[in-house]
Amino acid sequence: MVIPSVLPERPTAGTPFETGWPVRLADTDGNQRLRLDAIARYLQDIGFEHLDAVEDGDTHRGWVVRRTVIDVLKPIEFGERVTLRRWCSGLSTRWCNMRVQIAGDRGGLVETEAFLIHFGTESGLPARMSDRFMAPMLASTSEHRLRWKAALTDPAPPLDAPGVRVRPFPLRITDIDMLDHVNNSVYLSGVEEVLAEHDDLKSGPHRAIIEYVKPLKSGDDVELSAHRTGTALDIWFTVADETHAATRVMPL
């Protein structure tokens, strides 16, 4: 199994990095629930705060998200104050799995895990993490030979296939980051667009998986292809029939 049905528990060794803030209006949907794209931004924010708190964090500023798993166990709502705890659940010398637990003070709970690749800011290539940087990560997990394996391998279906819904996903200037890439949280806003037609998938505990295949860039003509099979909803982000990201949402 590429992704376990239950994400790894908090380690008994070491202390997870912790921060928190209130859930604000711009983070929530019409039902006051914390959105998936807001969760993705939270993961970015705690990641940068964590870098400021660890040794050699200043020399490890380049990261690319390869996959994010979001388990919404109980929705977090507007006005809750959330505590975020972050720790490593597996690593190699150039990439790692980072767990973030998001717990609301009124009982909301979201568990996440992201596969992150460390890149050299000058070389633009995957780069080895320093021993000092890896030391607390090694202490929190026994998985020290982490390898990448895709979980979402189904190709995007033909646009005219039965049951496939296709819609444009126009990019905005505010979606683009300093590398001329679409920020990874923006993809989750597209997932929210499609999920608006599948309320049953959000009515109980559910899991969203997104795997980033190829960066979207400014000027790309993006389409979302969605296909529902039973209780699973698959979404592909495509440009000229080439998949740039794949997503699956399903009940837990």
Side-chain angles (χ1 to χ4, degrees):
M1 185 183 297
V2 177
I3 303 171
S5 57
V6 177
L7 295 178
E9 295 287 340
R10 288 173 55 187
T12 55
T15 302
F17 176 75
E18 185 174 308
T19 188
W21 48 73
V23 175
R24 298 177 173 89
L25 187 63
D27 299 330
T28 56
D29 63 15
N31 294 316
Q32 301 190 37
R33 294 183 176 186
L34 182 66
R35 299 191 313 269
L36 294 174
D37 59 306
I39 291 171
R41 290 194 300 273
Y42 284 14
L43 302 186
Q44 293 177 34
D45 291 344
I46 189 176
F48 279 104
E49 285 193 26
H50 198 177
L51 285 176
D52 289 337
V54 297
E55 291 188 295
D56 285 358
D58 58 333
T59 60
H60 292 73
R61 311 299 289 187
W63 295 90
V64 168
V65 182
R66 192 69 174 86
R67 173 171 58 226
T68 303
V69 181
I70 301 173
D71 288 351
V72 180
L73 302 178
K74 185 177 180 181
I76 294 171
E77 299 183 344
F78 170 61
E80 283 194 72
R81 183 170 185 87
V82 292
T83 299
L84 295 88
R85 300 178 179 90
R86 187 175 193 260
W87 68 91
C88 179
S89 57
L91 77 160
S92 187
T93 57
R94 290 173 173 80
W95 45 76
C96 57
N97 270 335
M98 296 301 294
R99 284 272 283 109
V100 176
Q101 179 190 77
I102 309 174
D105 62 358
R106 298 203 300 265
L109 181 62
V110 174
E111 301 281 2
T112 77
E113 184 173 71
F115 189 104
L116 307 175
I117 303 175
H118 175 240
F119 274 75
T121 53
E122 294 185 3
S123 69
L125 298 172
R128 187 186 189 280
M129 295 175 278
S130 73
D131 290 340
R132 290 203 310 171
F133 186 82
M134 285 191 290
M137 303 166 76
L138 291 166
S140 68
T141 178
S142 59
E143 175 56 83
H144 299 163
R145 295 178 179 267
L146 182 67
R147 296 181 182 275
W148 166 258
K149 186 175 181 180
L152 306 180
T153 57
D154 292 340
L159 301 183
D160 58 353
V164 174
R165 169 78 184 276
V166 182
R167 71 185 75 199
F169 186 62
L171 301 179
R172 304 163 300 178
I173 191 64
T174 53
D175 297 334
I176 310 301
D177 64 18
M178 60 185 292
L179 299 176
D180 193 37
H181 293 169
V182 172
N183 185 274
N184 69 78
S185 67
V186 174
Y187 296 75
L188 275 301
S189 68
V191 174
E192 287 282 358
E193 287 282 343
V194 178
L195 269 178
E197 300 175 354
H198 301 270
D199 284 340
D200 60 302
L201 289 178
K202 298 192 294 182
S203 63
H206 57 279
R207 166 173 284 185
I209 306 168
I210 183 165
E211 293 185 345
Y212 302 93
V213 180
K214 184 178 181 180
L216 291 173
K217 298 184 178 182
S218 59
D220 281 344
D221 188 9
V222 185
E223 290 184 318
L224 301 184
S225 297
H227 185 249
R228 176 79 180 261
T229 306
T231 59
L233 173 66
D234 290 298
I235 307 166
W236 294 266
F237 292 74
T238 64
V239 178
D241 296 328
E242 182 179 21
T243 297
H244 285 241
T247 306
R248 176 168 293 166
V249 182
M250 55 191 175
L252 282 171

